[in-house]
Amino acid sequence: MSHIKYFFLIKIARLMYIGFHKDNSEETNVKIIFFNILNFSCLLNQFLATFLYLFIGVYNSAVYSLLLLPVPVLIYYVNYKRKYLLSKLIIFTYYNVIIFVTSCYFSHPYLSYYYIPVIIGSAIVFNTKELKYLLLINFLSFSLLIIENTSLSQYLPRFYQDKNHEETTIIVLVVHVNFILGLLFMYAYYMRLKMKRLIKLNKTFKDAKTKLKNQSEDYLLFSEASSHFLKSPIHVFNTFIGKIEQGINENKSYEELKPYFSVIKKNIDEEEKFINNMFDYNKIILTVPQKKSHDLTEILIESLENLKKSKTDFEYMIDIQQVILKTDARLLSKIITIIAENAYHHNKSQVKSLEIIYSINKNNLTINFTDNGVGINEADRENIFKPYIKINSIDNVKGIGIGLLKAKKAAELINAQIVLAQSNDFGTTFQLVINTNNKKDEN
């Protein structure tokens, strides 16, 4: 019995989504679902009316109801071809014509009230760009409603005199009430979708507001750092250019002035390094993640091999597992490169090594990066993700203290978190925890 139930539920669900397409706007797809339900309600009512007419023995009415079924089926076909406006015009014109012809044929007073749900349904289905078609349909519905319920109705032809008035009245009322209840249900469903859409938009606006706030803080940080890093070299330039001018006036040789040029060159190099790092940082915070399915091992190997080409004394080991991850490969590669470069530079070993082990559970993928470096001092551990703070004093470390901050920002963009898991004199372990719960990403 359950198989039969699920079979019919699947068939009905497919009917609801005829014409639904990924390239449509969300508003269009919502209206398509509503429109399909409206059409399905019409089909259901025709079947119900046919059955009830057959049950009481009014066979001409039953045949008439059956003859009306092909048009809703045709509408599904037109909607499937994504000719949405045409299908709307057909169905509401069809409703108006059928109600009018039925009223003339059966001469039943209650049949004219079918125009009311038609008017309500059309107001929901047509969008603002189709206002003229909505007005045209509503004008037709109101005109026919007025004609049938005023003295003008005497000029309408009467083809058939109902001999089973009591029974047919009940059928007309049942079908009418059923249609209105269906319309109310559809309207409630439509409003629920609208509410969900508004909630989603509200969340999007909140996320955008948070992102803008974070970007504002990042730009403030950028400006403060810029004023510090740019002011110092300018002061150095002015001081040593003055010394060079004075030396030239005193006829000093190039060898005597060479230290001044060396200091200026060193500051220019530092300035260039700072500017490049800040552009890189700015590029990261403005990145819109492009999440696609990637093999984690391939990203790791590619990133580490690029580093190894220029660092012959660098080695890495990966606990290879088959993990397909939906993420932005560029941002993940950036994080891996920063961690690997830190592992290399903060290291006095003859061979600098990095071991990568990862594990995955229902919601998270955890990647551990363990190096054999000098470790991080206890006092510095709270500051490692703060900008422009250099940890450990090793001669070959020439950064500006922004690497781990860039890694942290890139991690946030791929819905991940980077933390210092442990550190001692024998090495450091950084942990990258990536949220793999796709539902959370989509909401």
Side-chain angles (χ1 to χ4, degrees):
M1 193 69 184
S2 60
H3 290 293
I4 297 172
K5 181 180 74 174
Y6 286 123
F7 173 80
F8 281 107
L9 285 174
I10 290 170
K11 292 296 181 184
I12 292 170
R14 284 179 178 173
L15 283 174
M16 299 305 100
Y17 281 84
I18 288 176
F20 190 97
H21 199 274
K22 62 179 182 178
D23 293 337
N24 294 338
S25 66
E26 186 177 359
E27 182 74 16
T28 300
N29 280 332
V30 167
K31 287 186 179 290
I32 287 167
I33 295 171
F34 180 85
F35 181 76
N36 285 334
I37 296 173
L38 186 68
N39 198 37
F40 179 74
S41 178
C42 176
L43 276 168
L44 195 64
N45 272 321
Q46 291 302 126
F47 277 115
L48 178 64
T50 302
F51 172 77
L52 292 174
Y53 282 129
L54 286 172
F55 183 76
I56 65 170
V58 185
Y59 301 113
N60 59 340
S61 297
V63 171
Y64 181 82
S65 295
L66 278 176
L67 291 174
L68 300 179
L69 291 175
V71 175
V73 176
L74 172 66
I75 289 164
Y76 272 124
Y77 175 77
V78 176
N79 217 28
Y80 170 75
K81 292 294 183 180
R82 297 176 66 190
K83 296 178 179 178
Y84 305 126
L85 178 59
L86 179 61
S87 61
K88 292 173 189 177
L89 290 172
I90 290 174
I91 193 170
F92 288 108
T93 304
Y94 161 76
Y95 283 155
N96 283 312
V97 171
I98 289 305
I99 295 168
F100 180 73
V101 172
T102 306
S103 297
C104 292
Y105 185 76
F106 292 103
S107 307
H108 203 291
Y110 293 144
L111 288 170
S112 62
Y113 293 109
Y114 276 112
Y115 292 114
I116 296 172
V118 170
I119 293 166
I120 297 170
S122 63
I124 298 171
V125 168
F126 285 99
N127 57 45
T128 51
K129 293 180 181 179
E130 301 163 347
L131 184 61
K132 59 183 178 181
Y133 300 106
L134 170 63
L135 294 174
L136 182 64
I137 292 295
N138 282 348
F139 175 76
L140 179 60
S141 300
F142 276 115
S143 299
L144 295 175
L145 180 64
I146 290 169
I147 290 170
E148 291 184 30
N149 288 277
T150 61
S151 58
L152 295 172
S153 62
Q154 62 183 315
Y155 301 106
L156 297 177
R158 303 299 180 186
F159 300 106
Y160 171 73
Q161 186 63 41
D162 193 352
K163 298 177 182 178
N164 306 87
H165 190 269
E166 291 182 3
E167 290 87 347
T168 54
T169 297
I170 294 173
I171 294 173
V172 169
L173 288 174
V174 166
V175 175
H176 191 54
V177 169
N178 183 49
F179 192 74
I180 291 174
L181 288 175
L183 191 65
L184 289 172
F185 166 77
M186 289 182 286
Y187 183 71
Y189 175 77
Y190 174 74
M191 292 306 295
R192 180 173 173 270
L193 288 176
K194 291 279 284 184
M195 183 178 69
K196 287 176 69 177
R197 184 166 176 258
L198 287 172
I199 291 171
K200 188 177 179 180
L201 281 172
N202 186 47
K203 184 180 182 301
T204 302
F205 286 137
K206 283 184 178 179
D207 291 343
K209 185 178 178 181
T210 303
K211 188 175 180 180
L212 286 171
K213 182 182 177 182
N214 292 336
Q215 285 184 357
S216 177
E217 291 173 355
D218 289 330
Y219 286 132
L220 180 62
L221 193 65
F222 176 85
S223 62
E224 289 175 353
S226 298
S227 63
H228 169 72
F229 276 87
L230 294 173
K231 191 183 295 181
S232 297
I234 290 170
H235 175 71
V236 170
F237 297 159
N238 288 332
T239 301
F240 283 89
I241 286 172
K243 290 181 179 292
I244 291 169
E245 287 178 346
Q246 184 180 349
I248 292 171
N249 292 331
E250 295 173 358
N251 295 320
K252 288 185 178 181
S253 66
Y254 173 74
E255 291 298 324
E256 291 177 295
L257 298 176
K258 189 176 179 180
Y260 301 150
F261 286 107
S262 297
V263 172
I264 291 174
K265 185 179 183 304
K266 181 181 177 182
N267 276 270
I268 290 173
D269 291 341
E270 289 293 323
E271 189 87 357
E272 183 181 8
K273 189 186 299 178
F274 168 75
I275 291 170
N276 289 337
N277 270 279
M278 291 311 297
F279 272 122
D280 191 32
Y281 178 71
N282 194 50
K283 186 177 178 181
I284 288 172
I285 63 176
L286 293 175
T287 298
V288 178
Q290 303 295 324
K291 295 189 176 183
K292 296 180 181 178
S293 294
H294 298 279
D295 188 311
L296 175 61
T297 304
E298 288 182 4
I299 297 174
L300 283 163
I301 292 174
E302 184 180 352
S303 303
L304 297 172
E305 280 295 323
N306 288 336
L307 178 63
K308 192 174 180 179
K309 287 176 183 177
S310 59
K311 315 291 183 186
T312 55
D313 55 343
F314 175 72
E315 290 184 353
Y316 66 88
M317 293 155 285
I318 301 176
D319 179 22
I320 296 176
Q321 299 179 43
Q322 183 67 28
V323 176
I324 303 299
L325 181 66
K326 192 173 183 181
T327 189
D328 188 306
R330 293 173 303 166
L331 289 171
L332 180 56
S333 180
K334 173 70 73 176
I335 297 166
I336 295 165
T337 301
I338 291 170
I339 293 173
E341 286 177 345
N342 271 9
Y344 179 85
H345 292 303
H346 294 86
N347 201 318
K348 293 181 178 180
S349 303
Q350 188 173 358
V351 177
K352 285 83 171 172
S353 67
L354 182 65
E355 182 181 10
I356 298 102
I357 298 173
Y358 40 92
S359 60
I360 189 166
N361 58 30
K362 185 179 179 181
N363 296 315
N364 297 313
L365 168 67
T366 302
I367 311 174
N368 289 316
F369 300 85
T370 304
D371 62 46
N372 63 337
V374 297
I376 299 172
N377 297 328
E378 189 74 35
D380 292 328
R381 292 178 188 177
E382 292 183 1
N383 300 319
I384 58 173
F385 293 108
K386 292 181 180 179
Y388 320 116
I389 296 177
K390 296 183 181 182
I391 56 173
N392 302 326
S393 55
I394 300 178
D395 294 337
N396 66 341
V397 179
K398 299 177 181 178
I400 65 169
I402 200 175
L404 287 175
L405 178 63
K406 290 194 290 185
K408 181 183 177 184
K409 289 294 179 182
E412 289 173 359
L413 290 172
I414 61 171
N415 199 14
Q417 183 182 16
I418 183 170
V419 295
L420 175 64
Q422 62 179 15
S423 185
N424 53 46
D425 295 338
F426 306 103
T428 300
T429 298
F430 279 100
Q431 198 171 75
L432 180 66
V433 183
I434 305 173
N435 188 331
T436 55
N437 189 340
N438 292 329
K439 290 183 179 178
K440 186 173 180 180
D441 284 341
E442 291 168 4
N443 289 338

